[in-house]
Amino acid sequence: PVLGNDSTFKAGTYQLPGATSLELSITLDAQGDPNAVFIFKMPAGPPVYAFSTSANAEVKLINGAQASNVFWFVTGAVSLGTATSMKGTIIGGGSIAMAAGCILEGRALTINGEVTVDNGDIGLSAYLPVDISAPLPTGPAAPVFVESKEYAVFSSLGDVSDDGTSHVTGSVGSNSALPTGFNPLFVTGNIEGMNPATAGGAADLLLVYNSLSTLAADIELLAPAQFGHNLVLTPNTYVMNSAVSFTDTLILDATGNADAVFIIKTYGAFASGVHSNVILKNRTQAKNVFWMVNGAVSIGDSSVFNGTIIANNGAIDLLKGSTIDGRALTTNGSISTTGMTAILPIPQITIKPNDQAVCSGDSTGFVVTATGEGSYTFQWRKGTTNLMNNSNISGATNDTLIIYAVGDSDTSSVYNVIVYDSSEPSDTSGYASLTYHPVPVITEEPASQVVCTAGNSASFSVVATGDGLTYQWRKGTANLTNGGNISGANSAVLTVESVDIADIVADYNVVVTDICGREVTSADASLSIGNDLIINSEPANQTACEGNPVSFSVDATGAGLTYQWRKGTVNLADGGNISGATSAILTIDPAVIGDAAANYNVVIAGECAPNDTSANASLVVNQKPITPTVTVTQPSCSEPTGTITVTSPLAGLSFSIDGTDYTNTSGIFTSLAAGDYEVTAQNADGCVSTVTNVTLECITSVFTLNKVNALPAVNIYPNPFSPLLYIVINDASQINSCELKIYSVLGDEVIRAIVTKQLSTIETSNLPCGIYFYKVIDKGILIQSGKLISQEN
């Protein structure tokens, strides 16, 4: 049957008896009810029935009829003729084919078959019913450019050339060689050949291409040779699997979503014809359009192309008059441009802010250059903290940041800037530092100089740290200038040629000034004419006793003298008992028998004469006597004097007590009061051995009276030559016996014994030498107490 012929239908369900053809037009009248539903259906089958429309057929909606309420149920294939204007949702059981020029407000859905469109020369349009809201399509995720993002024209491996008339907003680069032909006045970014930046860009571009090549496609476009012709694409990933011939116009419709992304992948060469045009519709942005081409690319004369081209293994030709609002990038191939215009689709930083060093209190600034289409803004930061304009800062949201009167709080190594496209950040610079110029410091002072003969030359040098250093050498406070015999008056090294008497002063110095005008002055250095080396006094022979110190000295005059003492021809070095081995005085302390020699000498060197060696001096080291043996007879309390006896196996010694004359040859000293003594033995060479702390001590009894009448005395006699104590009770009429207790210095009782009126003895060999205390007790009454000292013989 034939449907149409300008007939009108009211709301309802209509049965189509079989295969149906829509001719001319039909009108669907809702009679003022926007919810009126129209359903046209075929028998469920089998068999199945086809539905077709003739060229220019039309479905019209009147009186509130909505395309969203119109449904076409077809059990077989659907074919829409050229320029058909169709309304409603087609639900088919077979393939759906839409000819060129068709307009579908609705849906074309099938459960069994393919959907094909023929955009022809006049294109095709299909969209959801206007009364149906749908989420805005976003498309795939955009690839991320990092190190290649600043380039508008770039080849990873290939020459890049221009005829000198192209205009590029962005950088131009090649990782093979420096691009040729580009007029720097027409390029807002850098023009770069092989360097670390282009190497990073090449590596980054390969990552971008690989990410696109592995991205799954949403839609395959089946007519690459007929690409264009007013074709409308919405945000998706598209693929064409052969060479593309782009003719006329392509419309990219973001349907109102400014963030929607389009990716169009081509496996084969891509060529656009003359005056071809990529139109961006409904908020589509060039920065969100990407063309992946596995092959060569040619953009025809006077074409307008939007988006970023990423070619692989193919050359790119941008022909005369063409405009690319995006990038032209290839991983392997040459790029040739002729009178074209390329504009980065988003702001990119092409000149980064540089590190700054300032003087305290001065002002400075950071500058960034960015290129891209449209308007963009800046936000300077310190680290991640946004800067704001105030009395110290201006330009916080401009391309130039100014910091006035720089102070400590302004120094930082993390100044950076974000470039915004509308409200979205597009690029962020690397860090730049702000520091002070360091205060100048002299690390090596000029050294005094000696010329050995008038007419020779001399140089003074200084080493200093700081920025932008300048030098001014002076004689005292008078500035020196280059000329005559002076050179280097304003450098780190001052040279005085042909020194004469006028040059001989003690106050050469240099003033070092840094970039901030801060000065530091060196210490003074002298210039003199050296004297010949003369030994005025030779080292003298020395005799010393073993264990005593001895010294050799020399006196010499001359310039810059150095010394090296020797024993014969063997150099001596400081250490052990040697000191002053490289000075004018050599000291040996203590001298030992092995130090004796007849050939001590010193080699003296000077700046202005040959070395000189002193005469030999001898050292005789006499042996000291062996330490003598000292015995003592301790004084008793009744006779408070004692005896010290000194003995030695050596003959010919004389002895002294406490440094008296060495006239005692017997070694016996008698009638000595209690006290500490120093005993010395001296041999014929005058060498001595000393024994110190020889002690004579009388033990004095301490009596304690516990009764009115005095109690008898108990006398205790220590024997220094025997481990015995002798105890005597003097008055037998008073007591017959008493108890003796002996204590250590810690108060511990070490001996308890009963003593009688006769002579009593107590064994003390088990006690160590030391100080002890005793108590004598009779019938519980303390008779006396005292102190005992036990010492070795």
Side-chain angles (χ1 to χ4, degrees):
V2 175
L3 182 67
N5 295 323
D6 298 323
S7 56
T8 300
F9 294 85
K10 297 179 181 178
T13 301
Y14 298 90
Q15 182 73 45
L16 301 176
T20 302
S21 174
L22 174 62
E23 305 287 345
L24 297 178
S25 69
I26 62 171
T27 301
L28 305 181
D29 185 357
Q31 297 179 309
D33 181 5
N35 296 315
V37 175
F38 302 81
I39 298 176
F40 298 87
K41 59 181 294 188
M42 292 179 175
V48 296
Y49 302 99
F51 178 85
S52 63
T53 68
S54 64
N56 300 307
E58 182 179 8
V59 177
K60 300 178 181 179
L61 305 178
I62 64 173
N63 296 323
Q66 304 288 336
S68 59
N69 293 327
V70 178
F71 301 92
W72 303 85
F73 174 69
V74 180
T75 57
V78 176
S79 175
L80 302 184
T82 303
T84 294
S85 178
M86 190 68 179
K87 304 290 193 299
T89 298
I90 301 171
I91 304 170
S95 62
I96 299 177
M98 292 183 283
C102 285
I103 300 175
L104 171 62
E105 181 185 352
R107 307 176 181 90
L109 312 174
T110 179
I111 62 172
N112 184 21
E114 62 183 8
V115 177
T116 61
V117 297
D118 181 3
N119 50 301
D121 292 329
I122 57 176
L124 178 145
S125 179
Y127 52 91
L128 285 171
V130 295
D131 61 322
I132 294 179
S133 61
L136 297 178
T138 60
V144 178
F145 292 82
V146 182
E147 295 178 82
S148 60
K149 65 184 177 181
E150 70 179 78
Y151 296 102
V153 178
F154 181 81
S155 173
S156 298
L157 184 61
D159 295 332
V160 177
S161 62
D162 183 60
D163 67 345
T165 63
S166 294
H167 290 72
V168 180
T169 301
S171 293
V172 176
S174 169
N175 198 38
S176 295
L178 186 69
T180 60
F182 287 88
N183 186 339
L185 297 178
F186 297 161
V187 178
T188 61
N190 299 318
I191 301 176
E192 298 178 322
M194 182 185 292
N195 62 29
T198 61
D204 181 56
L205 181 59
L206 183 60
L207 293 176
V208 171
Y209 178 83
N210 288 339
S211 70
L212 292 174
S213 66
T214 58
L215 183 65
D218 301 317
I219 299 171
E220 180 181 356
L221 300 177
L222 297 176
Q226 299 297 318
F227 186 67
H229 300 286
N230 296 312
L231 176 64
V232 179
L233 300 181
T234 55
N236 280 291
T237 299
Y238 298 89
V239 65
M240 291 179 281
N241 287 308
S242 62
V244 172
S245 178
F246 173 29
T247 304
D248 196 10
T249 300
L250 173 71
I251 300 170
L252 302 179
D253 186 352
T255 65
N257 185 353
D259 295 322
V261 174
F262 299 76
I263 295 178
I264 304 168
K265 301 168 58 175
T266 299
Y267 290 93
F270 185 101
S272 73
V274 176
H275 298 292
S276 60
N277 190 8
V278 176
I279 295 176
L280 305 183
K281 183 179 179 182
N282 290 329
R283 303 188 70 188
T284 302
Q285 298 190 69
K287 69 178 183 179
N288 294 327
V289 178
F290 302 93
W291 303 81
M292 189 210 86
V293 180
N294 190 6
V297 177
S298 175
I299 304 302
D301 291 356
S302 302
S303 295
V304 176
F305 201 82
N306 284 285
T308 294
I309 299 170
I310 306 104
N312 182 52
N313 294 322
I316 298 177
D317 289 330
L318 304 178
L319 300 180
K320 185 175 182 179
S322 62
T323 297
I324 178 168
D325 190 359
R327 307 176 181 91
L329 314 173
T330 179
T331 63
N332 185 0
S334 62
I335 299 179
S336 176
T337 59
T338 304
M340 64 87 194
T341 299
I343 304 172
L344 275 174
I346 58 175
Q348 298 289 338
I349 292 173
T350 55
I351 300 179
K352 304 172 181 64
N354 295 320
D355 294 342
Q356 301 293 322
V358 299
C359 305
S360 178
D362 285 355
S363 299
T364 189
F366 295 101
V367 178
V368 66
T369 299
T371 59
E373 68 173 358
S375 61
Y376 44 91
T377 58
F378 304 85
Q379 177 59 63
W380 287 91
R381 307 186 303 174
K382 187 189 291 185
T384 58
T385 302
N386 290 345
L387 297 176
M388 300 177 62
N389 293 330
N390 53 39
S391 59
N392 176 232
I393 289 177
S394 67
T397 54
N398 296 329
D399 59 356
T400 301
L401 175 71
I402 303 296
I403 303 174
Y404 301 98
V406 173
D408 288 338
S409 62
D410 299 312
T411 59
S412 173
S413 60
V414 292
Y415 281 95
N416 64 91
V417 61
I418 299 176
V419 182
Y420 285 89
D421 177 13
S422 300
S423 61
E424 296 297 323
S426 297
D427 202 3
T428 302
S429 73
Y431 289 149
S433 65
L434 173 57
T435 59
Y436 288 140
H437 292 293
V439 175
V441 176
I442 292 176
T443 57
E444 292 185 24
E445 298 279 359
S448 295
Q449 302 294 313
V450 176
V451 293
C452 298
T453 304
N456 289 352
S457 63
S459 293
F460 298 95
S461 64
V462 67
V463 178
T465 59
D467 292 339
L469 299 181
T470 60
Y471 305 86
Q472 177 58 64
W473 286 92
R474 307 186 304 177
K475 192 186 289 184
T477 58
N479 291 343
L480 297 175
T481 58
N482 294 327
N485 67 339
I486 299 293
S487 62
N490 303 114
S491 70
V493 180
L494 172 71
T495 299
V496 183
E497 303 283 355
S498 302
V499 173
D500 62 23
I501 193 64
D503 301 314
I504 305 304
V505 296
D507 54 359
Y508 283 94
N509 61 77
V510 60
V511 178
V512 182
T513 306
D514 77 344
I515 194 172
C516 299
R518 294 170 294 195
E519 296 181 350
V520 58
T521 302
S522 73
D524 288 340
S526 65
L527 176 59
S528 59
I529 297 177
N531 299 319
D532 291 338
L533 190 161
I534 300 174
I535 296 178
N536 301 313
S537 175
E538 300 280 358
N541 295 334
Q542 301 291 325
T543 299
C545 292
E546 181 185 11
N548 290 346
V550 66
S551 294
F552 294 99
S553 65
V554 67
D555 178 61
T557 56
L561 299 184
T562 61
Y563 304 85
Q564 178 58 63
W565 286 92
R566 307 185 303 176
K567 185 190 285 187
T569 58
V570 177
N571 290 344
L572 298 176
D574 290 343
N577 65 341
I578 300 294
S579 62
T582 55
S583 70
I585 300 176
L586 172 69
T587 299
I588 304 172
D589 184 16
V592 299
I593 298 300
D595 294 322
N599 55 354
Y600 282 92
N601 61 78
V602 61
V603 178
I604 306 175
E607 294 182 357
C608 296
N611 296 351
D612 198 1
T613 303
S614 73
N616 287 332
S618 64
L619 172 60
V620 176
V621 181
N622 292 319
Q623 188 175 15
K624 70 178 182 179
I626 62 174
T627 302
T629 301
V630 177
T631 59
V632 298
T633 302
Q634 296 287 3
S636 67
C637 292
S638 58
E639 292 187 21
T641 60
T643 300
I644 295 177
T645 302
V646 187
T647 60
S648 174
L650 300 178
L653 298 182
S654 59
F655 307 94
S656 73
I657 292 289
D658 289 346
T660 59
D661 292 338
Y662 291 91
T663 56
N664 186 317
T665 57
S666 66
I668 300 173
F669 298 89
T670 59
S671 303
L672 298 176
D676 292 328
Y677 292 90
E678 181 178 271
V679 180
T680 304
Q682 178 178 278
N683 63 17
D685 295 323
C687 298
V688 300
S689 291
T690 301
V691 178
T692 60
N693 297 324
V694 178
T695 301
L696 295 177
E697 184 172 2
C698 171
I699 305 303
T700 303
S701 299
V702 178
F703 296 94
T704 302
L705 300 179
N706 296 300
K707 296 181 179 180
V708 174
N709 297 323
L711 295 175
V714 178
N715 294 327
I716 299 175
Y717 302 97
N719 184 348
F721 303 104
S722 172
L724 299 174
L725 288 177
Y726 302 100
I727 302 98
V728 177
I729 300 175
N730 288 336
D731 192 347
S733 61
Q734 296 293 323
I735 58 174
N736 292 317
S737 64
C738 58
E739 187 179 37
L740 172 67
K741 295 181 179 180
I742 299 177
Y743 302 86
S744 70
V745 293
L746 299 177
D748 297 325
E749 182 179 294
V750 295
I751 290 178
R752 177 181 292 189
I754 301 298
V755 297
T756 66
K757 63 183 178 180
Q758 283 82 21
L759 176 66
S760 299
T761 62
I762 297 175
E763 174 69 33
T764 61
S765 61
N766 63 332
L767 299 180
C769 299
I771 298 174
Y772 297 84
F773 299 89
Y774 71 88
K775 292 180 182 180
V776 180
I777 300 171
D778 178 45
K779 298 181 179 61
I781 299 173
L782 179 66
I783 300 302
Q784 71 182 45
S785 62
K787 179 172 73 171
L788 298 173
I789 297 179
S790 176
Q791 64 183 26
E792 292 178 311
N793 292 344

